[in-house]
């Protein structure tokens, strides 16, 4: 196997500069970790991991000084690490360590070590590769665990006994699945079996770190692969039990419902072909989350999941809170998409009124495209003809929505009649009547009884007010 990587110093001149500086300083140092992995995969990043024998902080300060005196170096003396940015690069330095962990905490007991010690304590063979920056063996790949071979064979495995590697830092179980998913690699059988054995140790890891890995899995090209690994390893039962609930098929006589776990994964993959947006992907994951809670069997119609859209929307904030996902606008978007995900399907019928379409436009607002994307992804029949037919139906719905949108501009529907205007017109303070009038005007617009335009809507508001025994302060606007 070719272990000479001197060519990288010509291909990426900054690495050449780094090697020269390292040699001038005289510290033993290596490129390592994710940077080397990605470099060998032909997708070199801009984050460079460097390990040196001795103090990582002192070495970082010396390198920065030689590159540019004005660089500000962030140092973490407690951890023996330092980092700085230079041009488009982010450099992270660490002193080679020999680590042993206390089984009951994640706090490692750290001692200075050799390069070999440092490679031993890394998570996977493909992350334990180092390339020398030193004079005597510049460009040599130091690969004690066959990481290069594993990159070629597309395998994730731990350098040492996987039970020790995972027990040292249980987050690595999720990292194994994340790398397998991102890189489309297999997890070696003994490594995977160790994940199964150690799964409950995930509970000592902070939710933030778990969710960070989960989001990276979700952002892979085929996220279903990661979820299947999470499910089969048993990790999913600890980190996201609501999703596990979706799995399974129940039958009464010959009436079965589909497996909602695999359906959800298919929807997620379908949607992931169209968008990189994490939150739309979360909407796909959660769109049917309330199916287990709403499942009923009806003798006449078979299995039903009535209200799973509304109930699912209610579950979204709880799940976000538990997973420590941000509770703001993105959560509300996911919630809205879960709530509305059945609506466009209901509009596929031929005799649908403009008013039903108008209501959807109004409720979906600027998230209509996202909603339609989710609905299209939600078609997971194995029958291609059926899929084609359903998609064509959605084209029709979208066309009609477009026409109504052009006519009524409902998407940016800020009701021309605001609460302010109602209060001003009738000389009211905030009260129940203001809400009633506002709702009546909005309903009339959505029903198509009046256009969403000021003169007509204002006139209608006056009428509604009078009906409720209110007189305008002055007749004209
Ligand atoms: N590492 C580890 N165990 C962890 C985290 C990291 O052994 N729990 C080691 C791995 O050798 C890894 C390196 O530290 O390659 C850098 O970690 P990190 O920056 O988190 O990941 P990368 O491998 O660089 O990958 P990415 O940047 O894609 O997350």
């Amino acid at each position: 196997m070719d272990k000479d990587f001197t060519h990288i110093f010509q291909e990426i001149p900054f690495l050449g500069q780094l090697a020269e500086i390292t040699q001038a300083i005289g510290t033993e140092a290596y490129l390592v970790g994710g940077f080397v992995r990605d470099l060998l995969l032909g997708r070199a990043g801009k984050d460079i991991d460097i390990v040196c024998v001795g103090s990582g902080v002192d070495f970082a300060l010396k390198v920065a000084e030689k590159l540019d005196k004005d660089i500000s170096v962030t140092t973490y003396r407690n951890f023996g690490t330092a980092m700085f940015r230079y041009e488009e690069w982010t450099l992270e330095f660490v002193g080679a360590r020999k680590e042993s962990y206390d089984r009951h905490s994640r706090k490692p007991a750290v001692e200075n070590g050799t390069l070999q010690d440092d490679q031993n304590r890394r998570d996977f063979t493909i992350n334990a590769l180092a390339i020398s920056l030193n004079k005597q063996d510049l460009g040599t790949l130091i690969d004690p665990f066959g990481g290069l071979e594993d990159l070629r064979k597309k395998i994730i495995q731990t350098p040492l006994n996987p039970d020790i590697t995972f027990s040292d830092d249980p987050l690595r179980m999720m990292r194994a699945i994340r790398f397998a998913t991102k890189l489309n690699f297999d997890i070696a059988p003994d490594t995977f079996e160790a994940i199964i054995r150690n799964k409950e140790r995930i509970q000592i890891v902070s939710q933030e770190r778990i969710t960070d890995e989960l989001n990276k899995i979700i952002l892979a090209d085929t996220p279903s692969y990661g979820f299947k690994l999470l499910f089969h390893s048993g990790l999913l039962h600890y980190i996201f039990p609501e999703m596990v609930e979706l799995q399974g098929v129940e039958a009464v006589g010959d009436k079965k419902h589909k497996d909602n776990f695999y359906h959800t994964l298919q929807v997620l993959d379908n949607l992931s072909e169209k968008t990189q947006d994490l939150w739309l992907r979360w909407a796909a994951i959660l769109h049917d989350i309330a199916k287990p809670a709403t499942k009923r069997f009806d003798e006449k119609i078979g299995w039903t999941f009535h209200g799973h859209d509304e109930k699912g929307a209610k579950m979204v904030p709880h799940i976000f809170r538990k997973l420590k996902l941000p509770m703001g606008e993105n959560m509300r978007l996911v919630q809205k998409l879960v709530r509305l995900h059945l609506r466009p399907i209901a509009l596929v019928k031929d005799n649908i009124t403009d008013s039903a379409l108008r209501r959807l436009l109004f409720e979906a607002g600027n998230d209509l495209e996202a909603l339609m994307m989710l609905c299209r992804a939600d078609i997971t029949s194995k029958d291609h003809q059926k899929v084609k037919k359903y998609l064509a139906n959605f084209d029709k719905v979208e066309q009609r929505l477009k026409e109504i949108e052009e006519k009524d501009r409902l998407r940016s529907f800020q009701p021309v009649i605001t609460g302010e205007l109602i209060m001003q017109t009738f000389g009211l303070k905030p009260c129940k009547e203001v809400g009633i009038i506002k709702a009546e005007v909005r309903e009339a617009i959505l029903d198509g009884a009046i256009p969403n335009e000021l003169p007509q809507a204002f006139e209608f508001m006056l009428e509604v007010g009078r009906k409720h025994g209110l007189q305008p302060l002055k007749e004209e606007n």
Side-chain angles (χ1 to χ4, degrees), residues 32-38 47 49 92 94 97 99 101 118-124 126-129 159 165 168-173 175 178-179 182 209 212-213 216:
V32 274
F35 180 73
V36 174
R37 178 196 69 225
D38 291 343
D47 294 356
D49 302 317
E92 290 200 33
V94 61
R97 287 180 289 190
E99 251 172 36
Y101 287 74
D118 197 87
Q119 285 174 306
N120 282 341
R121 67 169 193 90
R122 289 183 181 261
D123 52 3
F124 305 112
I126 62 165
N127 286 343
L129 294 155
T165 304
D168 281 351
D169 179 1
L171 185 75
R172 288 170 167 174
M173 300 187 283
R175 283 173 59 90
R178 188 246 293 185
F179 287 120
K182 275 260 173 225
R209 292 179 81 209
D212 199 37
E213 287 300 326
K216 286 181 181 169

Side-chain angles (χ1 to χ4, degrees), residues 261-325:
F261 179 68
Y262 292 102
H263 163 71
T264 294
L265 294 187
Q266 180 68 58
V267 177
L268 175 60
D269 281 352
N270 289 349
L271 184 101
S272 300
E273 280 177 20
K274 306 282 178 204
T275 177
Q276 289 287 331
D277 187 302
L278 177 66
W279 306 108
L280 297 192
R281 291 183 180 203
W282 265 110
I285 293 166
L286 295 176
H287 80 289
D288 278 348
I289 202 70
K291 274 197 167 173
T294 54
K295 181 161 92 170
R296 299 278 176 279
F297 184 77
D298 181 299
E299 289 297 336
K300 290 200 195 87
I301 22 182
W303 292 101
T304 67
F305 303 91
H306 286 312
H308 77 270
D309 41 350
E310 198 53 50
K311 182 154 180 95
K314 290 212 179 83
M315 287 169 73
V316 170
H318 295 287
I319 291 174
F320 266 58
R321 198 168 295 122
K322 229 173 74 179
L323 294 178
K324 293 221 160 75
L325 286 163

Side-chain angles (χ1 to χ4, degrees), residues 143-410:
D143 178 16
F145 308 110
L148 185 59
E149 181 66 11
D150 285 348
L151 277 180
R152 293 195 173 138
K153 288 207 267 187
K154 295 173 154 254
I155 284 179
I156 305 291
Q157 60 182 323
T158 57
L160 303 176
N161 176 342
D163 287 308
I164 296 172
T165 304
F166 292 141
S167 178
D168 281 351
D169 179 1
L171 185 75
R172 288 170 167 174
M173 300 187 283
M174 297 222 32
R175 283 173 59 90
I177 292 175
R178 188 246 293 185
F179 287 120
T181 313
K182 275 260 173 225
L183 303 173
N184 196 21
F185 278 26
D186 281 326
I187 299 180
D190 59 339
T191 297
F192 195 68
E193 280 153 24
I195 298 180
I196 297 173
R197 275 196 299 279
N198 289 280
K199 57 182 185 288
E200 67 275 359
R201 297 266 298 156
I202 196 68
Q203 294 171 104
I204 67 162
V205 178
S206 75
Q207 187 61 53
E208 288 81 355
R209 292 179 81 209
I210 293 175
T211 298
D212 199 37
E213 287 300 326
L214 186 61
N215 281 339
K216 286 181 181 169
I217 292 170
I218 294 170
L219 285 172
D221 289 345
T222 311
S224 64
Y225 177 41
F227 277 102
K228 287 175 192 165
L229 291 172
L230 287 170
F231 178 74
H232 291 297
S233 64
L235 280 172
L236 197 62
H237 301 64
Y238 288 95
I239 65 165
F240 193 3
E242 294 84 351
M243 201 168 172
V244 175
E245 288 287 301
L246 290 171
Q247 194 270 336
V249 177
E250 219 179 311
V252 172
D254 59 352
K255 287 194 174 132
K256 291 194 289 189
H257 64 75
K258 67 181 159 199
D259 184 310
N260 288 305
F261 179 68
Y262 292 102
H263 163 71
T264 294
L265 294 187
Q266 180 68 58
V267 177
L268 175 60
D269 281 352
N270 289 349
L271 184 101
S272 300
E273 280 177 20
K274 306 282 178 204
T275 177
Q276 289 287 331
D277 187 302
L278 177 66
W279 306 108
L280 297 192
R281 291 183 180 203
W282 265 110
I285 293 166
L286 295 176
H287 80 289
D288 278 348
I289 202 70
K291 274 197 167 173
T294 54
K295 181 161 92 170
R296 299 278 176 279
F297 184 77
D298 181 299
E299 289 297 336
K300 290 200 195 87
I301 22 182
W303 292 101
T304 67
F305 303 91
H306 286 312
H308 77 270
D309 41 350
E310 198 53 50
K311 182 154 180 95
K314 290 212 179 83
M315 287 169 73
V316 170
H318 295 287
I319 291 174
F320 266 58
R321 198 168 295 122
K322 229 173 74 179
L323 294 178
K324 293 221 160 75
L325 286 163
M327 294 299 292
E329 203 180 313
N330 295 321
M331 189 278 289
R332 284 191 291 279
L333 168 68
V334 173
Q335 197 175 26
K336 179 173 176 184
L337 295 176
V338 173
R339 176 175 291 120
L340 296 179
H341 83 271
L342 296 177
R343 295 281 292 280
I345 301 165
L347 299 179
V348 159
K349 295 181 216 116
D350 280 339
N351 56 353
I352 278 308
T353 60
D354 279 4
S355 138
L357 293 158
R358 244 185 240 118
R359 270 165 209 284
L360 180 63
L361 270 174
F362 170 58
E363 284 178 56
N366 286 329
D367 301 314
L368 184 72
E369 275 82 12
L371 179 66
M372 294 308 287
M373 197 190 278
L374 174 62
C375 290
R376 286 171 183 277
D378 200 6
I379 301 171
T380 61
S381 167
K382 288 203 176 62
D383 178 342
H384 290 298
Q385 280 314 104
K386 253 193 194 166
V387 173
K388 248 175 134 174
K389 193 178 100 194
Y390 291 152
L391 289 176
N393 282 339
F394 275 136
D395 288 341
K396 273 194 239 154
V397 171
E398 255 175 322
Q399 184 53 36
R400 280 191 70 190
L401 284 167
K402 217 169 123 197
E403 285 161 19
I404 292 185
E405 163 68 9
E406 274 161 17
K407 208 163 67 183
D408 296 353
R409 300 182 319 279
L410 269 167

